[in-house]
Amino acid sequence: FSSTNDPAQSAGSGTANLLDDYEEGTWEATSAAGSGTLTINTAANLCHYTKIGNLVTIGGHVGISAESSASGSLVISGLPFAGANLSEEAGRVAGPVILQGASAQVDGYLGCFMGEGGATFTVREYGLTTVGSDVADHFDTGSEFAFSLTYPT
């Protein structure tokens, strides 16, 4: 094995080894709570993505403009690409979530979880005694959250 700083050479020679699938852009996050409503601020819902080959990295900083008796799971949709269906559920992925302005204490930390085949992810709470998706009640009007997730397509 030899390494070089020239990207065209580091993957080998020939056109079969050239990267020909690169895309980047933005997408608008939308949400749904298990019950009640969490309204995403349309002035703070633009997220970014980068797709290289069959891997997509998404991220963003999203604001909540209104909350009304929200409870249950928090599902974020509008992702630019659906996740892959791989054997043994190898396409399931998770990433970090940072919440500011929570209305209830989080038991541990929040993370985003994406199953296979869909274009959504669920924000979940992970702690010593908690692994679930009932986190919508932690969000309030004015709450903001940031996330990052890389998944296969």
Side-chain angles (χ1 to χ4, degrees):
F1 177 79
S2 65
S3 178
T4 177
N5 290 330
D6 181 357
Q9 296 300 318
S10 63
S13 60
T15 58
N17 293 313
L18 293 177
L19 176 62
D20 62 356
D21 187 9
Y22 178 89
E23 182 179 333
E24 57 185 25
T26 58
W27 58 281
E28 293 184 7
T30 59
S31 71
S35 64
T37 58
L38 278 176
T39 304
I40 289 184
N41 185 344
T42 56
N45 72 333
L46 195 59
C47 303
H48 64 86
Y49 75 90
T50 302
K51 181 177 184 287
I52 302 173
N54 69 341
L55 286 179
V56 178
T57 298
I58 59 173
H61 181 253
V62 177
I64 303 297
S65 62
E67 181 274 336
S68 177
S69 303
S71 65
S73 61
L74 172 58
V75 177
I76 303 298
S77 57
L79 280 64
F81 301 95
N85 285 312
L86 304 175
S87 62
E88 299 182 23
E89 298 180 321
R92 298 173 122 199
V93 296
V97 172
I98 298 171
L99 172 61
Q100 177 181 348
S103 62
Q105 182 174 344
V106 175
D107 176 32
Y109 64 95
L110 295 179
C112 51
F113 174 81
M114 184 175 183
E116 294 189 322
T120 65
F121 68 82
T122 304
V123 177
R124 292 188 171 178
E125 183 175 13
Y126 298 90
L128 294 175
T129 60
T130 306
V131 177
S133 57
D134 296 335
V135 299
D137 60 334
H138 293 309
F139 293 80
D140 201 359
T141 300
S143 293
E144 301 174 344
F145 68 99
F147 65 91
S148 178
L149 184 67
T150 298
Y151 63 96
T153 62

